[in-house]
Coordinates of all heavy atoms in Angstrom, one line a residue:
M19 N -33.0 -30.4 7.9 CA -33.2 -29.0 8.5 C -34.1 -29.3 9.7 O -35.2 -29.9 9.6 CB -33.9 -28.2 7.6 CG -33.8 -26.7 8.0 SD -34.1 -25.5 6.7 CE -35.5 -26.1 6.0
S20 N -33.7 -28.8 10.8 CA -34.5 -29.1 12.1 C -35.7 -28.1 12.1 O -35.6 -27.0 11.7 CB -33.6 -28.9 13.3 OG -33.2 -27.6 13.4
A21 N -36.8 -28.6 12.7 CA -38.0 -27.7 12.8 C -37.8 -26.6 13.8 O -37.2 -26.9 14.8 CB -39.1 -28.7 13.2
P22 N -38.3 -25.4 13.5 CA -38.3 -24.3 14.4 C -39.1 -24.7 15.6 O -40.1 -25.5 15.5 CB -38.7 -23.1 13.7 CG -39.5 -23.7 12.5 CD -39.0 -25.1 12.3
T23 N -38.9 -24.0 16.7 CA -39.7 -24.2 17.9 C -41.0 -23.5 17.9 O -41.1 -22.3 17.5 CB -38.9 -23.7 19.2 OG1 -37.6 -24.1 19.0 CG2 -39.5 -24.3 20.4
R24 N -42.0 -24.1 18.3 CA -43.4 -23.6 18.4 C -43.4 -22.5 19.5 O -42.9 -22.6 20.5 CB -44.4 -24.7 18.8 CG -45.8 -24.4 18.7 CD -46.6 -25.6 18.7 NE -46.9 -25.9 20.2 CZ -48.0 -25.6 20.8 NH1 -48.9 -24.7 20.2 NH2 -48.3 -25.8 22.0
L25 N -44.0 -21.3 19.1 CA -44.1 -20.1 20.1 C -45.2 -20.4 21.1 O -46.3 -21.0 20.6 CB -44.1 -18.9 19.3 CG -43.2 -18.5 18.3 CD1 -43.4 -17.3 17.5 CD2 -41.8 -18.3 19.2
S26 N -45.1 -19.8 22.2 CA -46.3 -19.9 23.2 C -47.3 -18.8 22.8 O -47.0 -18.0 21.9 CB -45.7 -19.5 24.6 OG -45.4 -18.1 24.7
A27 N -48.5 -19.0 23.4 CA -49.6 -18.1 23.0 C -49.2 -16.6 23.4 O -49.5 -15.7 22.7 CB -50.9 -18.5 23.8
D28 N -48.5 -16.5 24.5 CA -48.0 -15.1 24.9 C -47.1 -14.5 24.0 O -47.1 -13.4 23.6 CB -47.4 -15.1 26.3 CG -48.4 -15.2 27.4 OD1 -49.6 -15.1 27.2 OD2 -48.0 -15.5 28.6
E29 N -46.2 -15.4 23.5 CA -45.1 -14.9 22.5 C -45.8 -14.4 21.2 O -45.6 -13.5 20.6 CB -44.2 -16.0 22.2 CG -43.2 -16.2 23.3 CD -42.3 -17.4 23.1 OE1 -42.8 -18.5 22.7 OE2 -41.1 -17.3 23.5
V30 N -46.9 -15.3 20.7 CA -47.6 -15.0 19.5 C -48.4 -13.6 19.7 O -48.3 -12.8 18.8 CB -48.6 -16.1 19.0 CG1 -49.4 -15.7 17.9 CG2 -47.8 -17.3 18.7
N31 N -49.0 -13.5 20.8 CA -49.8 -12.3 21.0 C -48.9 -11.0 21.1 O -49.3 -10.0 20.6 CB -50.7 -12.4 22.3 CG -51.9 -13.3 21.9 OD1 -52.6 -13.2 21.0 ND2 -52.3 -14.2 22.9
A32 N -47.7 -11.2 21.7 CA -46.8 -10.1 21.8 C -46.4 -9.7 20.4 O -46.4 -8.5 19.9 CB -45.7 -10.4 22.6
A33 N -46.1 -10.7 19.5 CA -45.6 -10.4 18.2 C -46.7 -9.8 17.2 O -46.4 -9.0 16.4 CB -45.1 -11.7 17.5
L34 N -47.9 -10.2 17.5 CA -49.0 -9.7 16.7 C -49.2 -8.1 16.8 O -49.7 -7.5 15.9 CB -50.4 -10.4 17.2 CG -50.6 -11.7 16.5 CD1 -51.9 -12.3 17.1 CD2 -50.8 -11.6 14.9
R35 N -48.7 -7.6 17.9 CA -48.8 -6.2 18.2 C -48.0 -5.4 17.1 O -48.3 -4.3 16.8 CB -48.4 -5.7 19.5 CG -49.5 -6.1 20.6 CD -49.1 -5.5 22.0 NE -49.4 -6.5 23.0 CZ -48.4 -7.1 23.7 NH1 -47.2 -6.7 23.6 NH2 -48.7 -8.0 24.5
D36 N -47.0 -6.1 16.7 CA -46.1 -5.4 15.6 C -46.4 -5.8 14.2 O -45.7 -5.5 13.2 CB -44.6 -5.7 15.9 CG -44.2 -5.2 17.2 OD1 -44.7 -4.0 17.6 OD2 -43.4 -5.9 17.9
L37 N -47.5 -6.7 14.1 CA -47.8 -7.2 12.7 C -49.1 -6.6 12.3 O -50.1 -7.2 12.4 CB -47.9 -8.8 12.7 CG -46.6 -9.5 12.6 CD1 -46.9 -11.0 12.8 CD2 -45.9 -9.2 11.3
N38 N -49.1 -5.5 11.6 CA -50.3 -4.8 11.2 C -51.1 -5.7 10.3 O -50.7 -6.2 9.3 CB -49.8 -3.5 10.4 CG -51.0 -2.6 10.1 OD1 -51.7 -2.5 11.0 ND2 -50.9 -1.9 9.0
G39 N -52.4 -5.7 10.8 CA -53.4 -6.5 9.9 C -53.6 -8.0 10.2 O -54.5 -8.6 9.7
W40 N -52.6 -8.5 10.9 CA -52.7 -10.0 11.2 C -53.4 -10.3 12.5 O -53.3 -9.5 13.4 CB -51.2 -10.5 11.2 CG -50.6 -10.6 9.9 CD1 -49.9 -9.4 9.4 CD2 -50.5 -11.6 9.0 NE1 -49.3 -9.9 8.1 CE2 -49.7 -11.1 7.9 CE3 -50.9 -12.9 9.0 CZ2 -49.4 -11.9 6.8 CZ3 -50.7 -13.7 7.8 CH2 -49.9 -13.2 6.7
S41 N -54.1 -11.4 12.4 CA -54.7 -11.9 13.8 C -54.5 -13.3 13.8 O -53.9 -14.0 13.0 CB -56.2 -11.5 13.6 OG -56.7 -12.2 12.5
L42 N -55.0 -13.9 15.0 CA -54.9 -15.3 15.1 C -56.2 -15.9 14.9 O -57.3 -15.5 15.5 CB -54.5 -15.7 16.5 CG -54.0 -17.0 17.0 CD1 -52.7 -17.4 16.1 CD2 -53.7 -17.1 18.4
E43 N -56.2 -16.8 13.9 CA -57.6 -17.4 13.6 C -57.3 -19.0 13.4 O -56.6 -19.4 12.5 CB -58.2 -16.9 12.2 CG -59.1 -15.7 12.6 CD -59.9 -15.2 11.4 OE1 -60.2 -15.9 10.6 OE2 -59.9 -13.9 11.3
N44 N -58.2 -19.7 14.1 CA -57.9 -21.2 14.1 C -56.5 -21.7 14.3 O -56.1 -22.6 13.6 CB -58.5 -21.8 12.7 CG -60.0 -21.4 12.4 OD1 -60.8 -21.4 13.4 ND2 -60.3 -20.9 11.3
G45 N -56.0 -21.0 15.2 CA -54.5 -21.3 15.5 C -53.4 -21.0 14.5 O -52.3 -21.4 14.6
K46 N -53.9 -20.1 13.5 CA -52.9 -19.7 12.4 C -52.9 -18.2 12.3 O -53.9 -17.5 12.7 CB -53.4 -20.3 11.1 CG -53.4 -21.8 11.0 CD -54.0 -22.3 9.7 CE -54.0 -23.9 9.7 NZ -54.6 -24.4 8.5
L47 N -51.8 -17.7 11.9 CA -51.7 -16.2 11.6 C -52.5 -16.0 10.3 O -52.3 -16.7 9.2 CB -50.2 -15.8 11.4 CG -49.2 -15.8 12.5 CD1 -47.9 -15.3 12.1 CD2 -49.8 -15.1 13.7
H48 N -53.3 -15.0 10.5 CA -54.3 -14.8 9.3 C -54.3 -13.4 8.9 O -54.4 -12.5 9.8 CB -55.7 -15.3 9.9 CG -56.7 -15.0 8.8 ND1 -57.2 -15.9 7.9 CD2 -57.6 -13.9 8.7 CE1 -58.2 -15.3 7.2 NE2 -58.4 -14.2 7.7
R49 N -54.4 -13.1 7.6 CA -54.5 -11.8 7.1 C -55.2 -11.8 5.7 O -54.7 -12.6 4.9 CB -53.2 -10.9 7.1 CG -53.6 -9.4 6.7 CD -52.5 -8.5 6.7 NE -52.9 -7.2 6.1 CZ -52.2 -6.1 5.9 NH1 -51.0 -6.1 6.5 NH2 -52.7 -5.0 5.3
Q50 N -56.1 -10.8 5.5 CA -56.5 -10.7 4.1 C -55.9 -9.4 3.5 O -56.0 -8.3 4.1 CB -58.0 -10.6 4.0 CG -58.5 -10.4 2.6 CD -60.0 -10.5 2.5 OE1 -60.7 -11.5 2.6 NE2 -60.7 -9.3 2.4
F51 N -55.3 -9.5 2.3 CA -54.8 -8.2 1.6 C -55.7 -7.9 0.5 O -56.2 -8.8 -0.1 CB -53.4 -8.5 1.1 CG -52.3 -8.8 2.1 CD1 -52.1 -10.1 2.6 CD2 -51.5 -7.7 2.5 CE1 -51.1 -10.3 3.6 CE2 -50.6 -7.9 3.5 CZ -50.4 -9.2 4.0
Q52 N -55.9 -6.6 0.2 CA -56.7 -6.2 -0.9 C -55.9 -5.2 -1.7 O -55.2 -4.3 -1.2 CB -58.0 -5.5 -0.4 CG -59.0 -5.3 -1.6 CD -60.4 -5.2 -1.0 OE1 -60.8 -5.8 -0.1 NE2 -61.1 -4.3 -1.7
F53 N -55.9 -5.5 -3.1 CA -55.1 -4.7 -4.0 C -56.0 -4.1 -5.1 O -57.2 -4.3 -5.1 CB -54.1 -5.7 -4.8 CG -53.1 -6.3 -3.8 CD1 -53.5 -7.5 -3.2 CD2 -52.0 -5.7 -3.5 CE1 -52.6 -8.1 -2.3 CE2 -51.1 -6.3 -2.6 CZ -51.4 -7.4 -2.0
P54 N -55.5 -3.0 -5.7 CA -56.3 -2.3 -6.7 C -56.8 -3.2 -7.9 O -57.8 -2.9 -8.5 CB -55.4 -1.1 -7.2 CG -54.5 -1.0 -6.1 CD -54.2 -2.4 -5.6
S55 N -56.1 -4.3 -8.2 CA -56.4 -5.1 -9.3 C -55.9 -6.5 -9.1 O -55.1 -6.8 -8.2 CB -55.7 -4.5 -10.6 OG -54.3 -4.8 -10.4
F56 N -56.4 -7.5 -10.0 CA -55.9 -8.8 -9.9 C -54.4 -8.8 -10.1 O -53.8 -9.7 -9.5 CB -56.6 -9.7 -11.0 CG -56.1 -11.0 -11.2 CD1 -56.2 -12.0 -10.2 CD2 -55.4 -11.3 -12.3 CE1 -55.7 -13.2 -10.5 CE2 -54.8 -12.6 -12.5 CZ -55.0 -13.5 -11.6
I57 N -54.0 -8.1 -11.2 CA -52.6 -8.1 -11.6 C -51.7 -7.8 -10.4 O -50.6 -8.4 -10.2 CB -52.3 -7.2 -12.8 CG1 -52.8 -7.9 -14.1 CG2 -50.8 -6.8 -12.9 CD1 -52.0 -9.2 -14.4
E58 N -52.1 -6.8 -9.6 CA -51.3 -6.4 -8.4 C -51.3 -7.4 -7.4 O -50.4 -7.7 -6.7 CB -51.7 -5.0 -7.9 CG -51.2 -3.9 -8.8 CD -52.0 -2.6 -8.7 OE1 -52.9 -2.5 -9.4 OE2 -51.5 -1.8 -8.0
A59 N -52.5 -8.1 -7.2 CA -52.6 -9.2 -6.2 C -51.7 -10.3 -6.7 O -51.0 -10.9 -5.8 CB -54.1 -9.7 -6.1
F60 N -51.8 -10.7 -7.9 CA -50.9 -11.7 -8.4 C -49.4 -11.4 -8.4 O -48.6 -12.3 -8.2 CB -51.4 -12.2 -9.8 CG -51.0 -13.6 -10.1 CD1 -51.8 -14.6 -9.7 CD2 -49.8 -13.9 -10.8 CE1 -51.4 -16.0 -10.0 CE2 -49.4 -15.2 -11.1 CZ -50.3 -16.2 -10.7
G61 N -49.1 -10.2 -8.7 CA -47.7 -9.7 -8.6 C -47.2 -9.9 -7.1 O -46.0 -10.3 -6.9
F62 N -48.0 -9.5 -6.1 CA -47.7 -9.7 -4.7 C -47.5 -11.2 -4.4 O -46.5 -11.5 -3.8 CB -48.8 -9.2 -3.9 CG -48.8 -9.6 -2.4 CD1 -47.9 -9.0 -1.6 CD2 -49.7 -10.7 -2.0 CE1 -48.0 -9.4 -0.2 CE2 -49.8 -10.9 -0.7 CZ -48.9 -10.4 0.2
M63 N -48.4 -12.1 -4.9 CA -48.1 -13.6 -4.7 C -46.8 -14.0 -5.4 O -46.2 -14.8 -4.7 CB -49.4 -14.3 -5.3 CG -50.6 -14.0 -4.5 SD -52.1 -14.7 -5.3 CE -51.9 -16.4 -4.5
S64 N -46.6 -13.6 -6.5 CA -45.3 -13.9 -7.2 C -44.1 -13.6 -6.4 O -43.1 -14.4 -6.2 CB -45.2 -13.4 -8.6 OG -46.4 -13.7 -9.4
S65 N -44.1 -12.4 -5.9 CA -43.0 -11.8 -5.1 C -42.8 -12.7 -3.8 O -41.7 -13.1 -3.4 CB -43.2 -10.4 -4.7 OG -43.2 -9.6 -5.9
L66 N -44.0 -12.8 -3.1 CA -43.9 -13.6 -1.8 C -43.6 -15.1 -2.0 O -43.0 -15.7 -1.1 CB -45.3 -13.4 -1.1 CG -45.3 -13.9 0.4 CD1 -44.3 -13.0 1.2 CD2 -46.7 -13.8 1.0
A67 N -44.0 -15.6 -3.2 CA -43.6 -17.1 -3.4 C -42.1 -17.2 -3.5 O -41.6 -18.2 -3.1 CB -44.2 -17.4 -4.8
L68 N -41.4 -16.2 -4.1 CA -39.9 -16.2 -4.2 C -39.3 -16.2 -2.7 O -38.3 -16.9 -2.4 CB -39.4 -15.1 -5.0 CG -39.8 -15.3 -6.6 CD1 -39.2 -14.0 -7.3 CD2 -39.3 -16.5 -7.1
V69 N -40.0 -15.3 -1.9 CA -39.4 -15.2 -0.5 C -39.7 -16.5 0.2 O -38.8 -17.0 0.9 CB -40.2 -14.1 0.1 CG1 -39.9 -14.1 1.7 CG2 -39.8 -12.7 -0.3
A70 N -40.8 -17.0 0.0 CA -41.2 -18.3 0.7 C -40.3 -19.5 0.2 O -39.8 -20.3 1.1 CB -42.7 -18.7 0.4
E71 N -40.0 -19.5 -1.0 CA -39.2 -20.6 -1.4 C -37.8 -20.5 -1.0 O -37.2 -21.5 -0.5 CB -39.1 -20.5 -3.1 CG -38.4 -21.8 -3.6 CD -38.9 -23.1 -3.3 OE1 -40.2 -23.2 -2.8 OE2 -38.2 -24.1 -3.5
A72 N -37.3 -19.2 -0.9 CA -35.9 -18.9 -0.3 C -35.9 -19.3 1.2 O -34.8 -19.8 1.7 CB -35.6 -17.5 -0.5
M73 N -37.0 -19.1 1.9 CA -37.0 -19.4 3.4 C -37.3 -20.9 3.5 O -37.1 -21.4 4.7 CB -38.3 -18.6 3.9 CG -38.0 -17.2 4.2 SD -39.5 -16.4 4.9 CE -39.6 -17.2 6.5
G74 N -37.8 -21.6 2.5 CA -38.2 -23.0 2.8 C -39.4 -23.0 3.6 O -39.6 -24.0 4.4
H75 N -40.2 -22.0 3.5 CA -41.5 -21.9 4.4 C -42.5 -21.4 3.5 O -42.4 -20.2 3.0 CB -41.2 -21.1 5.6 CG -42.2 -21.1 6.6 ND1 -42.4 -22.3 7.3 CD2 -43.1 -20.3 7.1 CE1 -43.3 -22.1 8.2 NE2 -43.7 -21.0 8.1
H76 N -43.7 -22.0 3.4 CA -44.7 -21.7 2.5 C -46.1 -21.4 3.0 O -46.5 -22.0 3.9 CB -44.8 -22.9 1.4 CG -43.4 -23.3 0.8 ND1 -42.6 -24.1 1.4 CD2 -42.8 -22.8 -0.3 CE1 -41.5 -24.2 0.6 NE2 -41.6 -23.4 -0.3
P77 N -46.8 -20.5 2.4 CA -48.0 -20.0 2.9 C -49.2 -21.0 2.5 O -49.1 -21.6 1.4 CB -48.3 -18.6 2.3 CG -47.5 -18.7 1.1 CD -46.3 -19.6 1.2
E78 N -50.3 -21.0 3.3 CA -51.6 -21.4 2.8 C -52.2 -20.2 2.3 O -52.4 -19.2 3.1 CB -52.3 -22.0 4.0 CG -51.8 -23.3 4.5 CD -52.5 -23.8 5.8 OE1 -53.6 -23.4 5.9 OE2 -51.9 -24.5 6.5
W79 N -52.6 -20.1 1.1 CA -53.2 -18.8 0.7 C -54.3 -19.0 -0.4 O -54.4 -20.1 -1.0 CB -52.2 -17.8 0.2 CG -51.3 -18.3 -0.9 CD1 -51.2 -19.5 -1.5 CD2 -50.1 -17.6 -1.4 NE1 -50.2 -19.5 -2.4 CE2 -49.5 -18.4 -2.3 CE3 -49.6 -16.3 -1.0 CZ2 -48.4 -17.9 -3.0 CZ3 -48.4 -16.0 -1.8 CH2 -47.9 -16.7 -2.6
F80 N -55.1 -18.0 -0.6 CA -56.3 -18.1 -1.4 C -56.5 -16.8 -2.1 O -56.4 -15.8 -1.5 CB -57.5 -18.4 -0.5 CG -58.8 -18.7 -1.2 CD1 -59.1 -19.9 -1.9 CD2 -59.8 -17.7 -1.2 CE1 -60.2 -20.1 -2.5 CE2 -60.9 -18.0 -1.9 CZ -61.2 -19.1 -2.5
N81 N -56.7 -16.9 -3.4 CA -56.8 -15.6 -4.2 C -58.2 -15.6 -4.9 O -58.5 -16.5 -5.6 CB -55.7 -15.5 -5.2 CG -55.9 -14.5 -6.3 OD1 -55.9 -14.9 -7.5 ND2 -56.1 -13.3 -6.1
V82 N -58.9 -14.5 -4.8 CA -60.1 -14.2 -5.6 C -59.8 -12.8 -6.1 O -59.8 -11.9 -5.3 CB -61.4 -14.3 -4.8 CG1 -62.5 -13.9 -5.7 CG2 -61.5 -15.7 -4.3
Y83 N -59.8 -12.7 -7.3 CA -59.6 -11.3 -8.1 C -58.5 -10.5 -7.4 O -57.3 -10.9 -7.5 CB -61.0 -10.7 -8.2 CG -60.9 -9.3 -8.9 CD1 -60.2 -9.1 -10.0 CD2 -61.4 -8.1 -8.3 CE1 -60.1 -7.9 -10.7 CE2 -61.4 -6.9 -8.9 CZ -60.8 -6.9 -10.1 OH -60.6 -5.6 -10.8
N84 N -58.9 -9.5 -6.6 CA -57.9 -8.5 -6.0 C -57.6 -8.8 -4.6 O -57.0 -8.0 -3.9 CB -58.3 -7.1 -6.3 CG -59.5 -6.8 -5.4 OD1 -60.3 -7.6 -5.1 ND2 -59.8 -5.5 -5.2
R85 N -58.1 -10.0 -4.1 CA -57.9 -10.2 -2.6 C -57.0 -11.5 -2.5 O -57.2 -12.5 -3.3 CB -59.3 -10.5 -2.0 CG -60.0 -9.3 -1.6 CD -61.3 -9.7 -0.9 NE -62.3 -10.2 -1.9 CZ -62.9 -11.3 -1.8 NH1 -62.8 -12.2 -0.8 NH2 -63.8 -11.7 -2.7
V86 N -56.1 -11.4 -1.5 CA -55.2 -12.6 -1.2 C -55.4 -12.9 0.3 O -55.2 -12.0 1.2 CB -53.8 -12.3 -1.5 CG1 -53.0 -13.5 -1.2 CG2 -53.6 -12.0 -3.0
T87 N -55.9 -14.1 0.6 CA -56.0 -14.4 2.0 C -55.0 -15.4 2.5 O -54.7 -16.3 1.7 CB -57.5 -15.1 2.3 OG1 -58.4 -14.2 1.8 CG2 -57.6 -15.3 3.7
I88 N -54.2 -15.1 3.5 CA -53.1 -15.9 3.9 C -53.3 -16.5 5.2 O -53.7 -15.7 6.2 CB -51.8 -15.1 3.8 CG1 -51.6 -14.4 2.4 CG2 -50.6 -16.0 4.2 CD1 -50.3 -13.6 2.3
D89 N -53.0 -17.8 5.4 CA -52.9 -18.4 6.8 C -51.4 -19.0 6.9 O -50.9 -19.6 6.0 CB -53.9 -19.5 6.9 CG -55.3 -18.9 7.0 OD1 -55.6 -18.5 8.2 OD2 -56.1 -19.0 6.1
L90 N -50.9 -18.7 8.1 CA -49.5 -19.2 8.3 C -49.4 -20.1 9.6 O -49.9 -19.6 10.6 CB -48.5 -18.0 8.4 CG -48.4 -17.1 7.3 CD1 -47.5 -15.9 7.6 CD2 -47.9 -17.8 6.0
T91 N -48.8 -21.2 9.5 CA -48.5 -22.1 10.5 C -47.3 -22.9 10.1 O -47.0 -22.9 9.0 CB -49.7 -23.0 10.9 OG1 -49.4 -23.8 12.0 CG2 -50.0 -23.9 9.7
T92 N -46.7 -23.5 11.1 CA -45.6 -24.5 10.8 C -46.0 -25.9 11.1 O -46.0 -26.2 12.3 CB -44.4 -24.0 11.6 OG1 -44.1 -22.6 11.3 CG2 -43.2 -24.8 11.2
H93 N -46.3 -26.7 10.2 CA -46.8 -28.1 10.3 C -45.7 -28.8 11.0 O -46.1 -29.7 11.9 CB -47.1 -28.7 9.0 CG -48.1 -27.8 8.2 ND1 -47.6 -27.1 7.1 CD2 -49.4 -27.6 8.4 CE1 -48.7 -26.5 6.5 NE2 -49.8 -26.8 7.3
D94 N -44.5 -28.6 10.6 CA -43.3 -29.3 11.2 C -43.3 -29.2 12.8 O -42.8 -30.0 13.5 CB -42.0 -28.8 10.7 CG -41.8 -29.1 9.1 OD1 -42.8 -29.8 8.7 OD2 -40.9 -28.6 8.6
A95 N -43.7 -28.0 13.3 CA -43.6 -27.7 14.7 C -45.0 -27.8 15.4 O -45.1 -27.7 16.6 CB -43.1 -26.3 15.0
G96 N -46.1 -28.0 14.6 CA -47.4 -28.1 15.2 C -47.9 -26.8 15.8 O -48.7 -26.8 16.7
G97 N -47.6 -25.7 15.3 CA -48.1 -24.3 15.7 C -47.3 -23.2 15.0 O -46.8 -23.4 13.9
I98 N -47.4 -22.1 15.6 CA -46.7 -20.9 15.1 C -45.3 -20.7 15.5 O -45.0 -20.9 16.7 CB -47.6 -19.6 15.4 CG1 -49.0 -19.8 14.7 CG2 -46.9 -18.3 14.9 CD1 -50.0 -18.7 15.1
T99 N -44.5 -20.4 14.5 CA -43.0 -20.2 14.8 C -42.5 -19.0 14.4 O -43.3 -18.2 13.7 CB -42.2 -21.4 14.2 OG1 -42.2 -21.2 12.8 CG2 -42.7 -22.8 14.5
Q100 N -41.3 -18.7 14.7 CA -40.6 -17.4 14.2 C -40.6 -17.3 12.6 O -40.7 -16.3 12.2 CB -39.1 -17.5 14.7 CG -38.5 -16.2 14.8 CD -39.1 -15.3 15.8 OE1 -39.5 -15.7 16.8 NE2 -39.3 -14.0 15.4
K101 N -40.6 -18.5 12.0 CA -40.7 -18.4 10.5 C -42.0 -17.9 10.0 O -42.1 -17.1 9.0 CB -40.5 -19.9 9.9 CG -39.1 -20.4 10.0 CD -39.0 -21.6 9.1 CE -37.6 -21.9 8.7 NZ -37.5 -22.7 7.6
D102 N -43.1 -18.1 10.7 CA -44.4 -17.6 10.3 C -44.4 -16.1 10.6 O -44.9 -15.3 9.7 CB -45.5 -18.3 11.2 CG -45.6 -19.8 10.9 OD1 -45.8 -20.1 9.7 OD2 -45.5 -20.6 11.8
L103 N -43.9 -15.7 11.7 CA -43.8 -14.2 11.9 C -43.0 -13.5 10.9 O -43.4 -12.5 10.3 CB -43.2 -14.0 13.3 CG -43.9 -14.6 14.5 CD1 -43.1 -14.3 15.9 CD2 -45.3 -14.0 14.6
E104 N -41.9 -14.1 10.5 CA -41.0 -13.6 9.5 C -41.7 -13.4 8.1 O -41.6 -12.4 7.5 CB -39.7 -14.3 9.3 CG -38.7 -13.7 8.4 CD -37.4 -14.5 8.2 OE1 -37.1 -15.3 9.2 OE2 -36.8 -14.3 7.2
L105 N -42.4 -14.5 7.7 CA -43.2 -14.5 6.4 C -44.3 -13.5 6.4 O -44.5 -12.8 5.5 CB -43.6 -15.9 6.1 CG -44.1 -16.2 4.7 CD1 -43.0 -15.8 3.6 CD2 -44.5 -17.6 4.5
A106 N -44.9 -13.4 7.6 CA -46.0 -12.3 7.8 C -45.5 -11.0 7.6 O -46.0 -10.1 6.9 CB -46.7 -12.5 9.1
Q107 N -44.2 -10.7 8.2 CA -43.6 -9.4 8.1 C -43.1 -9.1 6.6 O -43.4 -8.0 6.2 CB -42.4 -9.5 8.9 CG -41.8 -8.1 9.4 CD -42.6 -7.4 10.4 OE1 -43.3 -6.6 10.1 NE2 -42.4 -7.9 11.6
R108 N -42.7 -10.1 5.9 CA -42.3 -9.9 4.6 C -43.4 -9.6 3.7 O -43.4 -8.9 2.8 CB -41.5 -11.2 4.1 CG -40.2 -11.5 4.9 CD -39.1 -10.5 4.6 NE -38.6 -10.3 3.2 CZ -37.6 -11.1 2.7 NH1 -37.1 -12.0 3.4 NH2 -37.4 -10.9 1.5
A109 N -44.6 -10.3 4.0 CA -45.8 -10.1 3.2 C -46.2 -8.7 3.4 O -46.6 -7.9 2.4 CB -46.9 -11.1 3.7
N110 N -46.2 -8.1 4.6 CA -46.6 -6.7 4.9 C -45.7 -5.8 4.1 O -46.2 -4.8 3.6 CB -46.5 -6.4 6.3 CG -47.8 -6.9 7.1 OD1 -48.6 -7.5 6.5 ND2 -47.9 -6.5 8.3
Q111 N -44.4 -6.0 4.1 CA -43.4 -5.2 3.4 C -43.8 -5.2 1.9 O -43.7 -4.2 1.3 CB -42.0 -5.6 3.7 CG -41.5 -5.3 5.1 CD -40.3 -6.1 5.4 OE1 -39.8 -6.9 4.7 NE2 -39.8 -6.0 6.6
L112 N -44.0 -6.3 1.4 CA -44.3 -6.5 -0.1 C -45.6 -5.8 -0.5 O -45.8 -5.4 -1.6 CB -44.3 -7.8 -0.6 CG -42.9 -8.6 -0.6 CD1 -43.1 -10.1 -0.9 CD2 -42.1 -7.9 -1.7
A113 N -46.5 -5.7 0.4 CA -47.9 -5.3 0.1 C -48.0 -3.7 0.2 O -49.0 -3.1 -0.3 CB -48.9 -5.8 1.0
R114 N -46.9 -3.1 0.7 CA -46.9 -1.6 0.8 C -46.8 -0.9 -0.5 O -46.2 -1.3 -1.4 CB -45.8 -1.1 1.7 CG -46.1 -1.1 3.2 CD -45.3 -0.1 3.9 NE -43.9 -0.6 4.1 CZ -43.5 -1.2 5.3 NH1 -44.3 -1.4 6.2 NH2 -42.2 -1.5 5.3
Ligands
H2B216 C1 -39.3 -30.5 4.6 C2 -39.6 -29.1 4.6 O1 -38.7 -28.2 5.2 C3 -40.9 -28.9 5.2 O2 -42.0 -29.5 4.6 C4 -41.3 -27.3 5.3 C5 -41.6 -26.7 4.0 N1 -42.5 -25.6 4.1 C6 -43.3 -25.3 5.2 N2 -44.1 -24.4 5.2 C7 -44.9 -24.3 6.2 N3 -45.8 -23.2 6.2 N4 -44.8 -25.0 7.3 C8 -44.1 -26.0 7.4 O3 -44.1 -26.8 8.3 C9 -43.2 -26.2 6.3 N5 -42.4 -27.2 6.2

C-alpha cells in the first residue's frame, strides 16, 4: 500500500476549522475526549479501534478513567495526511 501524501500546514489549518475539538500539537492532530464513565470511554475506544483497523490507520492514544487523549500522525508520510483527518472525523462521530 502506498503512503498517503503529507498535507501542508495551510491544508491542515483549513481542515481543523471543520474538526471540532481538534488542534495541532507537536505536529500531530490532538484531542481529548471526556465521557461520563470508564465504560463509555472504553466503548468509544473499542468502536474506533475497529474503524482504525479497517482503515489500516491507527491512533496514538491514552486512556485514564473517563478520558481518552488521541494524537494522530502518519509515520509513513512524516506528517499529517488525509487519513488522520478522516480518523479524527470518525472519532468525533463516534463520541457524539
Ligand atoms: C504498513 C502499514 O500500512 C503502516 O505501518 C501503517 C499502519 N498504521 C498506521 N497508522 C498511523 N497512524 N500512521 C501510519 O503511518 C501507519 N502506518
Side-chain angles (χ1 to χ4, degrees):
M19 197 164 46
S20 66
T23 317
R24 194 165 88 87
L25 300 172
S26 70
D28 281 351
E29 287 171 319
V30 172
N31 283 320
L34 275 173
R35 286 188 225 114
D36 298 325
L37 276 177
N38 193 31
W40 291 84
S41 62
L42 197 59
E43 269 186 42
N44 302 315
K46 299 174 182 180
L47 290 187
H48 175 91
R49 181 174 174 179
Q50 180 175 284
F51 292 90
Q52 191 159 322
F53 299 90
S55 67
F56 169 71
I57 283 299
E58 281 158 278
F60 203 84
F62 164 77
M63 294 176 81
S64 300
S65 299
L66 192 60
L68 297 178
V69 170
E71 186 58 19
M73 285 177 65
H75 195 65
H76 305 85
E78 293 174 22
W79 55 6
F80 185 74
N81 161 243
V82 177
Y83 183 46
N84 64 338
R85 281 179 285 126
V86 180
T87 307
I88 305 183
D89 286 286
L90 301 176
T91 184
T92 305
H93 309 103
D94 295 354
I98 293 170
T99 66
Q100 203 60 43
K101 284 195 160 194
D102 297 305
L103 299 178
E104 188 182 334
L105 195 53
Q107 198 74 258
R108 298 293 297 273
N110 278 8
Q111 288 163 2
L112 286 171
R114 272 207 287 264

